[in-house]
Every structure is written in structure tokens, then in C-alpha cells.
């Protein structure tokens, strides 16, 4: 299906102006004119139809996109691809065009997630990037796939600490990573915070997010709060 037809269908799926305004308030890094106002389940359903009918390749080759929803559709289509090599190619092709947290965080690389060696390579390749959403992508996926006991290594806490970026959405991803690390690897993360110099804003934001979690005990939250600076 050609790009113009896809855009017209996305426009036909538009919810209402209030929803468009709501999305614009959540994603302030892109202008409102680039937001149609389509709800994610509708985009996902459309993506599924395109994928089942093998009617998406032309769209994936058409970069950059204009609308937020086009990029959401693109990311969801990548998550449907079953061939690992194709998924990797499409991911690398797309990462440079991500310009907001919503698209960055919305998709999982299903064809790759079982290959932890390749997934870790992707993370390592991107976490030192100068492009903020490549960095955020790396941090979010390190958090998703490598904080559980089976795959966790304490060095990952340092990988994230050593990220060099003043971008707000990178810094908030770092804080989010540590808040989940407190949940999944409490002792290791606690010791790390006690013994390492971590940016004060990130430290305190991670502590704040940890205190909001329902997956930590009150005692754990008290201990975490004592780390605040």
C-alpha cells in the first residue's frame, strides 16, 4: 500500500480533537500539526492488517515520516516481523528517525528478544550514541530484558551511569532504569548507589520513582529514601 493511502486511512481513524490535544501534551517534543490523534489500539489493528496482507514494505522504505502515528505504525510493524535479520535491518534503518519517547518506548523487537547476544550488541551500539532516542532505546531495552536474575550483570548499572546526555528524555530513562533496578536487583542497586557518584538529579528522580512503586516494601523505600541528596 502506498504512503498516501496509509496516511488517509490513519486520518480516517482519528479519534477527536480532545484526544489529539491530550497526545500533544504528552509528547511536547513534536509539533501539534504532526499529530493526527489516533488511539494506539486502532494503529495496532491497522498494522496487523497491513502485516497479514504483506502490504507494508513500501511504507517501511518511506522515511522519514511526517505524522507521529506514521512512526507509531512503523514501530509496530517492525515488532511483527518474524525474521531476525530483517527485523534488525528495519530497526537500524528506523532508529535515526525516532524523535519522541512515545515511539521509542512503544515497540518490542520480538524477533530479536530471544537472541540476548544480538540484543545486547544493539544496546551497546546505541547506549553511547549522540542521538538521544538511540540512547533512550538502549536504556529502555536494557531495563526490559537484562535486569532479571538470569541475565543481570552489575556492570549494566555502570553502563547507564556513564551515559553522556543532557536530554531530558534520556535522563528520565536513566532514572526509570534505576527505579526498576531497585525492584529487581535491590541489594546490588542499593550498594551501587551507596558507593558511586551518580548525577544528583537522576539519583533523586530514581528515588522518587522507586518510592511510588507498589513492588517495593515500605522498609525498602525507607532505605532508598536515605540515599537522597
Amino acid at each position: 500500500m502506498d504512503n498516501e493511502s496509509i496516511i488517509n486511512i490513519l486520518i480516517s481513524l482519528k479519534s477527536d480533537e480532545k484526544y489529539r490535544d491530550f497526545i500533544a501534551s504528552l509528547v511536547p517534543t513534536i509539533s501539534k500539526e504532526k499529530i493526527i490523534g489516533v488511539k494506539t489500539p486502532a494503529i495496532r489493528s491497522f498494522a496487523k492488517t497491513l502485516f497479514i496482507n504483506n502490504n507494508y514494505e513500501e511504507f517501511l522504505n518511506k522515511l522519514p515520516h511526517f505524522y507521529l502515528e506514521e512512526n507509531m505504525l512503523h514501530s509496530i510493524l517492525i515488532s511483527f516481523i518474524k525474521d531476525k535479520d530483517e527485523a534488525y535491518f528495519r530497526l537500524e534503518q528506523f532508529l535515526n528517525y525516532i524523535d519522541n519517547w512515545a515511539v521509542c518506548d512503544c515497540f518490542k523487537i520480538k524477533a530479536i528478544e530471544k537472541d540476548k547476544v544480538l540484543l545486547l550488541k544493539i544496546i551497546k551500539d546505541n547506549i553511547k550514541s549522540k542521538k538521544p532516542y538511540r540512547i533512550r532505546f538502549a536504556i529502555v531495552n536494557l531495563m526490559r530484558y537484562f535486569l532479571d536474575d538470569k541475565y543481570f550483570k552489575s556492570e549494566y548499572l555502570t553502563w547507564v551511569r556513564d551515559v553522556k546526555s543532557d536530554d531530558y528524555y534520556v535522563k528520565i530513562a536513566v532514572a526509570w532504569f534505576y527505579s526498576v533496578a531497585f525492584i529487581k536487583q535491590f541489594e546490588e542497586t542499593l550498594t551501587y548507589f551507596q558507593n558511586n557518584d551518580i548525577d544528583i538529579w537522576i539519583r533523586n528522580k530514581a528515588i522518587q520513582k522507586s518510592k511510588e512503586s507498589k513492588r517495593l516494601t515500605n522498609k525498602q523505600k525507607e532505605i532508598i529514601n536515605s540515599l537522597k541528596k
Side-chain angles (χ1 to χ4, degrees), residues 7 10-11 30 32-36 65-72:
I7 291 172
L10 286 171
I11 290 171
I30 59 174
K32 188 176 175 181
E33 67 175 357
K34 292 187 174 184
I35 300 172
I36 299 170
H65 300 303
F66 180 78
Y67 290 109
L68 167 69
E69 286 82 358
E70 287 181 272
N71 284 320
M72 294 285 284

Side-chain angles (χ1 to χ4, degrees), residues 181-215:
F182 272 120
I183 292 167
K184 294 191 172 184
Q185 302 293 338
F186 180 76
E187 295 297 337
E188 287 260 20
T189 309
L190 176 63
T191 301
Y192 195 82
F193 266 58
Q194 289 170 334
N195 296 332
N196 287 275
D197 184 22
I198 297 169
D199 176 88
I200 291 176
W201 187 91
I202 289 172
R203 172 185 286 267
N204 291 340
K205 182 63 70 172
I207 290 167
Q208 176 193 327
K209 292 177 76 67
S210 297
K211 287 163 62 180
E212 293 168 357
S213 173
K214 295 181 179 179
R215 298 164 66 188

Side-chain angles (χ1 to χ4, degrees), residues 59-220:
F59 175 73
L60 292 187
N61 288 330
K62 185 76 173 181
L63 286 166
H65 300 303
F66 180 78
Y67 290 109
L68 167 69
E69 286 82 358
E70 287 181 272
N71 284 320
M72 294 285 284
L73 179 65
H74 197 122
S75 66
I76 293 167
L77 283 167
I78 291 174
S79 74
F80 288 160
I81 294 171
K82 295 178 181 179
D83 181 81
K84 183 172 63 176
D85 292 335
E86 183 187 356
Y88 180 47
F89 168 74
R90 291 299 185 182
L91 174 66
E92 279 298 315
Q93 184 185 49
F94 185 54
L95 279 174
N96 284 333
Y97 298 97
I98 297 176
D99 61 359
N100 64 86
W101 70 266
V103 171
C104 183
D105 297 0
C106 81
F107 67 108
K108 295 184 178 181
I109 6 179
K110 294 180 181 177
I112 297 172
E113 62 185 18
K114 291 181 181 179
D115 186 341
K116 293 299 189 291
V117 174
L118 176 58
L119 186 54
L120 201 60
K121 177 188 181 301
I122 293 169
I123 290 166
K124 290 179 74 173
D125 287 347
N126 285 285
I127 204 164
K128 293 182 179 180
S129 171
K130 294 183 179 179
K131 294 179 179 292
Y133 291 101
R134 276 187 173 269
I135 302 171
R136 184 178 171 103
F137 179 85
I139 294 168
V140 169
N141 282 281
L142 190 64
M143 177 186 72
R144 280 179 177 158
Y145 297 107
F146 292 94
L147 284 180
D148 292 326
D149 289 343
K150 185 175 180 181
Y151 299 109
F152 175 72
K153 294 181 181 178
S154 58
E155 67 190 79
Y156 301 152
L157 300 173
T158 300
W159 288 14
V160 175
R161 187 202 64 181
D162 289 346
V163 164
K164 305 297 182 188
S165 177
D166 292 325
D167 184 271
Y168 172 79
Y169 290 97
V170 171
K171 292 175 73 173
I172 204 71
V174 173
W176 183 20
F177 172 90
Y178 283 130
S179 71
V180 176
F182 272 120
I183 292 167
K184 294 191 172 184
Q185 302 293 338
F186 180 76
E187 295 297 337
E188 287 260 20
T189 309
L190 176 63
T191 301
Y192 195 82
F193 266 58
Q194 289 170 334
N195 296 332
N196 287 275
D197 184 22
I198 297 169
D199 176 88
I200 291 176
W201 187 91
I202 289 172
R203 172 185 286 267
N204 291 340
K205 182 63 70 172
I207 290 167
Q208 176 193 327
K209 292 177 76 67
S210 297
K211 287 163 62 180
E212 293 168 357
S213 173
K214 295 181 179 179
R215 298 164 66 188
L216 291 165
T217 67
N218 289 335
K219 181 61 177 176
Q220 286 175 318

Side-chain angles (χ1 to χ4, degrees), residues 8-20:
N8 287 334
I9 291 173
L10 286 171
I11 290 171
S12 75
L13 295 171
K14 178 179 178 178
S15 182
D16 54 46
E17 285 300 320
K18 286 185 177 179
Y19 184 74
R20 183 188 182 207

